[in-house]
Amino acid sequence: MTLRLYDTRAQALRDFVPGDPENITMYVCGPTVQSGPHIGHVRAAVSFDVLRRWLAHRFERVTFVRNVTDIDDKVLNNATAAEPWWALAYRMEREFTDAYTAVGVDAPTYEPRATASIPQMQELIARLIDAGHAYASAGDVYFDVRSWPAYGELTHQSVDAMESAADADPRGKRDPRDFALWKGTKPGEPEDASWDSPWGAGRPGWHIECSAMSRRYLGAEFDIHGGGLDLRFPHHENELAQSTAAGDPFARYWVHNGLVTVGGQKMSKSLNNFVLAADVLAEHDPLVVRYALVAAHYRSSLDLSEASWAEAYAALGRIRTFLERVLRARSEKGWFVFGPGLPEAFVAAMDDDLGVPQALAVLHETVRAGNAAFDAGDEDTVHQAFDQAILMAGILGINPLDPRWNAGGTGAEASALDALVRTMITQRAQARADKDWAAADRIRDAIATAGIALEDTPDGTHWSLIDG
């Protein structure tokens, strides 16, 4: 089977052919750390974490770079006398890292900060000036969009149809769409937010940062450039133009995740309609949050609601109870580990542009078949279902038995449910000890009506959600 990805530049599914099959190279635009992450940022991180996991399964080695934009207009604007820009950036970077870690996003191979690559940015700007694609003006440097005929190829726009670049004073520009590569220091800006350059003291523009960092860590050409759909223009369009104009092949594939929406409108700090990741993680179990974020296809818009969380809790409950059921049996009966590969349907779904919804359907069907086989005493099928479920859940990062989820902790709601059911199990056991069979049956029927099955074993009674 061949892995296919939707390439934004081609606007089509393309067979994924890496430059080096022994080392997949991937660059994803990380956060601008002017404030804390909202749930849309976390959705992007989870989407590319799943892609990275699948690439690692298919090709073994993945070099994954996710940058931190720690110098930018927004960072400077949000700084205060009590908290300078560099302190704000570091504190916000920690908040992003904490949110990513909470939902099981693996750390990148490299996570460079923009401020650590200023010389590389200046070198790239100098190459563009020498090639006739950039010009200096009163301490600023701009990319000349009219000088590059391919400008607009990522978003399939003509230059005349584009909006003006609002990243610098337009009076120094030859064309209002020219974007800033270097921003000369302006009155009132902090002295430590400025670096010497051939064009005067200043700081880099946003777009040049990612071009320079991706080149520094991955080379002039790499396999996949990723980010949120809202970065296609102007950020990724400008990255592509300046890198290729400087002579670099740049990204072979462009992959963008869909946005989290609120009432059909993209979640955005600028629109003030965002939901902070910290608030979501305080209310819901992190594993449940991850499941809800991966359940939709990565390119689709995702409108999270109470139904999303309820579905995630229930789905994870079915997976968890099956796995725990088999683990108990293996411990008690000495069952062996079967060790099969992934189901072909799961592989086909993941190879088809990371079809996680279809892959999840395979996972849940495997759990249902495993439970049915357990009830029928078909040990071989149980072993196979268990091990395949572990493999599939691991690739998606939703294995509830993974130690990162606190030994399978189920969150506040599930913990409350567990306490309630165990209380009823104790009451039933007491009724049976008192030979009050009618009361014992009533309790069991009440538990079953709630969608919960009981399993009496030599080491006690265990409960699980009824597969439905």
Side-chain angles (χ1 to χ4, degrees), residues 389-421:
I390 287 287
L391 287 172
M392 289 185 281
I395 285 172
L396 298 176
I398 57 170
N399 176 10
L401 304 186
D402 190 316
R404 79 172 72 201
W405 306 118
N406 296 317
T410 59
E413 291 88 346
S415 295
L417 176 61
D418 180 69
L420 178 61
V421 175

Side-chain angles (χ1 to χ4, degrees), residues 117-363:
S117 294
I118 301 294
Q120 289 74 21
M121 297 171 197
Q122 293 181 352
E123 186 272 336
L124 182 54
I125 293 170
R127 289 167 57 199
L128 287 167
I129 292 174
D130 291 344
H133 298 300
Y135 58 93
S137 176
D140 299 325
V141 181
Y142 300 100
F143 183 86
D144 184 352
V145 297
R146 298 282 181 182
S147 75
W148 188 242
Y151 187 64
E153 65 177 307
L154 181 65
T155 52
H156 302 273
Q157 301 182 77
S158 68
V159 173
D160 292 329
M162 293 179 182
E163 297 178 359
S164 300
D167 58 354
D169 190 333
R171 288 176 294 181
K173 299 181 180 182
R174 296 174 182 172
D175 186 291
R177 298 161 190 84
D178 292 349
F179 55 89
L181 302 173
W182 187 259
K183 297 183 176 184
T185 300
K186 304 300 186 294
E189 293 184 345
E191 292 183 5
D192 58 0
S194 178
W195 289 261
D196 292 335
S197 83
W199 318 286
R203 55 188 170 85
W206 176 30
H207 315 300
I208 201 69
E209 294 178 346
C210 286
S211 283
M213 285 186 283
S214 62
R215 191 180 201 279
R216 183 180 186 185
Y217 286 88
L218 297 177
E221 182 177 35
F222 53 95
D223 291 318
I224 297 172
H225 195 316
L229 192 62
D230 54 338
L231 296 180
R232 288 174 63 237
F233 187 87
H235 186 47
H236 287 172
E237 188 73 77
N238 293 349
E239 277 189 69
L240 175 61
Q242 66 200 9
S243 291
T244 51
D248 293 341
F250 208 49
R252 298 162 62 89
Y253 297 83
W254 289 83
V255 178
H256 292 90
N257 67 277
L259 306 178
V260 176
T261 59
V262 178
Q265 191 175 39
K266 85 162 187 173
M267 184 179 296
S268 166
K269 291 179 180 178
S270 62
L271 296 174
N272 199 33
N273 66 346
F274 57 89
V275 179
L276 289 175
D279 292 339
V280 174
L281 291 167
E283 186 175 355
H284 300 287
D285 184 279
L287 176 55
V288 170
V289 174
R290 182 180 178 102
Y291 188 100
L293 293 175
V294 303
H297 191 271
Y298 79 92
R299 285 196 289 116
S300 67
S301 295
L302 177 61
D303 205 320
L304 294 170
S305 64
E306 288 305 314
S308 306
W309 308 124
E311 291 167 6
Y313 274 110
L316 284 166
R318 289 192 291 271
I319 296 169
R320 178 183 292 109
T321 51
F322 168 67
L323 297 178
E324 291 177 344
R325 187 185 192 196
V326 178
L327 280 179
R328 288 195 301 270
R330 285 185 169 179
S331 175
E332 295 164 4
K333 302 179 182 181
W335 281 2
F336 64 91
V337 177
F338 192 83
L342 288 166
E344 289 186 4
F346 181 90
V347 175
M350 294 297 287
D351 273 351
D352 187 12
D353 195 31
L354 219 63
V356 173
Q358 294 75 22
L360 281 172
V362 177
L363 170 57

Side-chain angles (χ1 to χ4, degrees), residues 37 41-42 45-46 49 53 66 93-108 111 277 281 285-287 289-290 397 402-406:
H41 293 121
V42 179
V46 168
D49 183 62
R53 288 166 181 259
R66 184 184 65 221
E93 179 185 339
R94 292 300 310 161
E95 288 195 13
F96 274 89
T97 299
D98 290 346
Y100 295 161
T101 302
V103 295
V105 173
D106 289 335
E111 192 168 22
L281 291 167
D285 184 279
L287 176 55
V289 174
R290 182 180 178 102
D402 190 316
R404 79 172 72 201
W405 306 118
N406 296 317

